[in-house]
Amino acid sequence: MYDINDIMKVLPHRYPMLLVEKILELEPNVRAVGLKNVSNNDPYLIGHFPNDPIFPGVLMIEAMAQVAGFLSLVSLNKEGTIAFFSSVDKAKFRKIVRPGDTLIMEAKVSKIKLPFCKMDCTAKVEDKLVCEAELMFYLPK
């Protein structure tokens, strides 16, 4: 398991845009599982339906991308560099995510053909699928 300090050694993101709090599982070149606790204190919830806060779908995509980016950078020994998000395909939002929910995100390597990595990603709350997408990254030399 990797904590927030380990994640910050690999990803360049920082608060408030570092959305992954833990990497729970990591199989290099295969898959990674990450965790994000959605809190009412998250700054982006202040204006996203203030009387009925909902975690934004685009941030679910970003959180999945961070898990996938972590997986690709660790797998290819490129910690501390940047995995540039290059495409999102087949994105679907299945359920609403609210403060108090814990997002469990999984990224699976679909294809690595450097300098590109393609990942199949899902996000779940209580084992229910809330978001899915195919994400692609460009890894500079």
Side-chain angles (χ1 to χ4, degrees):
M1 185 164 70
Y2 296 83
D3 68 15
I4 193 75
N5 295 311
D6 299 321
I7 294 167
M8 288 193 302
K9 290 175 187 169
V10 175
L11 297 179
H13 304 72
R14 296 296 178 263
Y15 178 83
M17 287 309 298
L18 181 56
L19 300 175
V20 180
E21 297 165 15
K22 291 181 184 175
I23 298 293
L24 303 171
E25 298 176 34
L26 178 69
E27 296 174 59
N29 297 307
V30 178
R31 66 187 276 275
V33 177
L35 177 143
K36 159 72 177 141
N37 288 307
V38 179
S39 168
N40 210 37
N41 296 324
D42 289 334
Y44 30 81
L45 291 177
I46 294 168
H48 200 249
F49 310 117
N51 296 324
D52 189 18
I54 294 172
F55 189 69
V58 294
L59 293 181
M60 278 191 269
I61 296 287
E62 176 62 26
M64 292 188 309
Q66 289 178 19
V67 173
F70 187 92
L71 171 60
S72 61
L73 292 171
V74 169
S75 295
L76 299 169
N77 294 317
K78 291 183 172 271
E79 293 97 333
T81 61
I82 297 174
F84 291 100
F85 207 172
S86 62
S87 75
V88 178
D89 290 310
K90 300 180 183 176
K92 293 194 173 35
F93 303 100
R94 305 280 184 189
K95 297 201 180 295
I96 291 173
V97 176
R98 298 186 182 278
D101 288 340
T102 299
L103 271 179
I104 303 294
M105 297 147 299
E106 182 176 25
K108 293 181 182 175
V109 173
S110 172
K111 184 177 186 178
I112 296 177
K113 186 174 180 186
L114 292 176
F116 292 96
C117 259
K118 186 176 181 181
M119 306 275 181
D120 293 320
C121 299
T122 59
K124 293 180 179 180
V125 172
E126 296 179 359
D127 285 326
K128 293 183 179 103
L129 186 65
V130 295
C131 184
E132 61 186 315
E134 287 180 358
L135 308 178
M136 190 173 306
F137 300 89
Y138 168 72
L139 302 168
K141 294 181 180 177

